[in-house]
Amino acid sequence: MADPPETAEAGAQQKEKQKSRNKKKAATVDESELLTVPDGWKEPAFTREDNPKGLLEESSFATLFPKYREAYLKECWPLVQKALGEHYVNATLDLIEGSMTVTTTKKTFDPYAIIRARDLIKLLARSVPFEQAVRILQDDVACDIIKIGSLVRKRDTFIKRRGRLLGPKGSTLKVRKVVLDTMKNIHPIYNIKTLMIKRELSKDPELRSQSWERFLPKFKRKNLKKRKEPKKKNTKKEYTPFPPPQPESQIDKELASGEYFLKERQKKRKRVEEIKAKQADAIKKRQEERNKAFIPPKEKPVVKTKKASTEKKIDIEAIKEKVKNAKKKKLGALPVEEVNLKMAADEKKKKKKK
């Protein structure tokens, strides 16, 4: 006996519903597994077993460095080569062109090692010490170089906003959004506050899969409009009925300086001497400008705070000397004998004068 068509259709619909429910459950399980990360979990290190055949082609990166970094790079370059040699990456320093180059070798097995080497030479070119720059070769360390020189037009506003990024002891904030918003006149404290709230929300397992917009603060920008002053102020000159004095002609200037009465040879000699003096000044200025490239920028000295000493040292010998000096001094009225001697001396002086 075959089942009626109505019962067969109902059974097929129930099976489809059950399949969709199972799929939804599997999807929810997969999403939860992706969102949650076990505590203390670390990504395993990339070894030669993961890429035994190595890289197919050679890749390289190069960057320029300023002249004042030349002396420092000469000293620390053996350490740079040693650090990159552990990752099978070659490094070359060209002092003529003023550039650093990193290239992969046949033994290089980590494809991301050349990217880390590129970041290392970029940090060294930007006055980062080797001890800090070499940390970029670690798996859990990354860097981001943000160019802020062209984000603000005026120099004064650029210096003020750049000063907001500097933290305690010269440390800087390490978030790209914070830096870019600061250059757009948004104070970094607002972004830091949102980051702190996000860090606290990430600790709650129930809120990980939800939207955090309702918890994040919304700050309104307040632009205080100032009256724009014109760049060029037209000032009216005082009215004078007399015309301006007639400018001196070339002959008048020569007569005043005495050049008019010189011979042609003497005039030529004087012109040559003036040209040579100008050339010497120009060569001197050009040499000074070239030497400026070798002078490193000035850094602010680190001021060490002196700890206030709680115990005050007492100099006993100084106190004793003060007491002795005080005893030698004669306080109060003079004795009778000294008074009589003074009076006798005064009388003798008076008699001599007479």
Side-chain angles (χ1 to χ4, degrees):
M1 293 288 290
D3 293 333
E6 294 177 358
T7 56
E9 288 177 2
Q13 288 177 359
Q14 286 180 357
K15 286 179 181 178
E16 286 178 0
K17 286 180 181 179
Q18 190 67 27
K19 285 180 181 178
S20 64
R21 286 173 186 172
N22 292 333
K23 284 181 181 178
K24 285 180 180 178
K25 285 180 181 178
T28 53
V29 170
D30 293 336
E31 286 178 3
S32 62
E33 286 178 358
L34 290 170
L35 289 171
T36 56
V37 178
D39 296 332
W41 180 85
K42 286 185 179 180
E43 190 176 353
F46 194 86
T47 58
R48 186 173 286 279
E49 295 176 358
D50 298 325
N51 188 15
K53 294 182 180 180
L55 304 177
L56 294 173
E57 294 183 1
E58 182 185 303
S59 55
S60 63
F61 290 100
T63 185
L64 300 173
F65 61 86
K67 288 184 180 179
Y68 67 85
R69 292 288 291 170
E70 185 176 323
Y72 180 78
L73 291 172
K74 272 186 192 177
E75 293 178 2
C76 70
W77 197 249
L79 298 173
V80 175
Q81 288 179 330
K82 186 180 178 181
L84 293 175
E86 295 175 359
H87 299 272
Y88 303 103
V89 177
N90 286 336
T92 55
L93 178 66
D94 191 350
L95 298 175
I96 297 168
E97 293 183 357
S99 64
M100 294 179 282
T101 310
V102 287
T103 55
T104 56
T105 60
K106 292 180 180 179
K107 294 182 180 180
T108 308
F109 60 88
D110 188 359
Y112 200 72
I114 189 66
I115 304 297
R116 290 176 186 153
R118 179 202 65 185
D119 293 340
L120 174 63
I121 59 174
K122 279 187 177 181
L123 293 171
L124 289 172
R126 289 176 174 269
S127 301
V128 178
F130 172 75
E131 292 78 9
Q132 294 180 8
V134 78
R135 292 174 58 200
I136 198 66
L137 299 176
Q138 300 174 10
D139 291 335
D140 57 346
V141 179
C143 75
D144 192 5
I145 297 168
I146 306 164
K147 295 180 180 179
I148 59 175
S150 61
L151 296 176
V152 183
R153 291 181 181 177
K154 293 183 180 179
R155 181 71 181 169
D156 297 336
T157 54
F158 171 75
I159 291 165
K160 286 179 183 177
R161 293 176 189 178
R162 186 182 62 181
R164 295 173 187 170
L165 298 170
L166 298 174
K169 296 180 181 179
S171 62
T172 53
L173 304 172
K174 300 175 183 176
V175 182
R176 175 173 276 271
K177 188 176 183 300
V178 176
V179 175
L180 295 176
D181 286 349
T182 304
M183 291 294 111
K184 294 175 184 176
N185 202 16
I186 298 169
H187 204 277
I189 193 67
Y190 301 131
N191 286 318
I192 291 167
K193 194 172 183 180
T194 55
L195 290 171
M196 290 169 69
I197 293 165
K198 285 179 181 179
R199 186 176 63 182
E200 294 297 326
L201 292 170
S202 63
K203 294 177 182 178
D204 193 349
E206 294 180 359
L207 295 171
R208 283 182 180 177
S209 59
Q210 297 180 12
S211 178
W212 293 348
E213 288 184 3
R214 52 183 176 160
F215 301 108
L216 299 176
K218 294 178 181 178
F219 302 102
K220 293 181 180 179
R221 292 182 65 181
K222 293 181 180 179
N223 290 332
L224 299 173
K225 292 183 179 180
K226 294 181 179 178
R227 186 183 175 185
K228 292 183 179 179
E229 295 182 357
K231 290 182 179 179
K232 294 181 180 179
K233 293 181 179 179
N234 296 324
T235 54
K236 290 183 178 180
K237 297 179 180 179
E238 293 182 0
Y239 173 73
T240 53
F242 305 103
Q246 191 175 359
E248 292 182 351
S249 64
Q250 188 67 25
I251 296 169
D252 293 336
K253 290 177 182 178
E254 289 178 357
L255 286 169
S257 62
E259 191 179 350
Y260 183 79
F261 303 102
L262 296 174
K263 294 179 181 179
E264 194 67 28
R265 290 179 184 177
Q266 293 174 341
K267 288 180 181 179
K268 283 183 180 180
R269 192 184 299 165
K270 191 176 181 182
R271 288 170 193 166
V272 170
E273 287 176 358
E274 288 177 357
I275 291 165
K276 284 182 179 179
K278 287 180 181 179
Q279 286 177 351
D281 292 336
I283 290 165
K284 191 178 179 181
K285 287 179 182 178
R286 205 179 303 139
Q287 193 65 30
E288 288 176 357
E289 288 178 359
R290 286 177 182 173
N291 293 333
K292 282 180 184 178
F294 292 95
I295 301 167
K298 291 183 180 179
E299 296 181 359
K300 292 182 180 179
V302 180
V303 180
K304 294 183 179 179
T305 55
K306 294 181 180 179
K307 294 182 180 178
S309 59
T310 53
E311 297 179 358
K312 293 181 179 179
K313 294 182 180 179
I314 299 167
D315 194 356
I316 297 167
E317 293 180 359
I319 294 167
K320 285 180 180 179
E321 287 180 1
K322 285 182 181 179
V323 173
K324 285 179 183 179
N325 293 330
K327 285 180 180 179
K328 288 178 182 178
K329 289 179 181 179
K330 295 176 181 180
L331 302 173
L334 294 170
V336 179
E337 293 176 357
E338 290 184 4
V339 172
N340 292 330
L341 289 169
K342 281 187 177 182
M343 288 173 70
D346 292 336
E347 286 177 359
K348 286 180 181 179
K349 286 180 181 179
K350 288 178 181 178
K351 286 178 181 179
K352 286 179 180 179
K353 286 180 180 179
K354 289 178 180 179

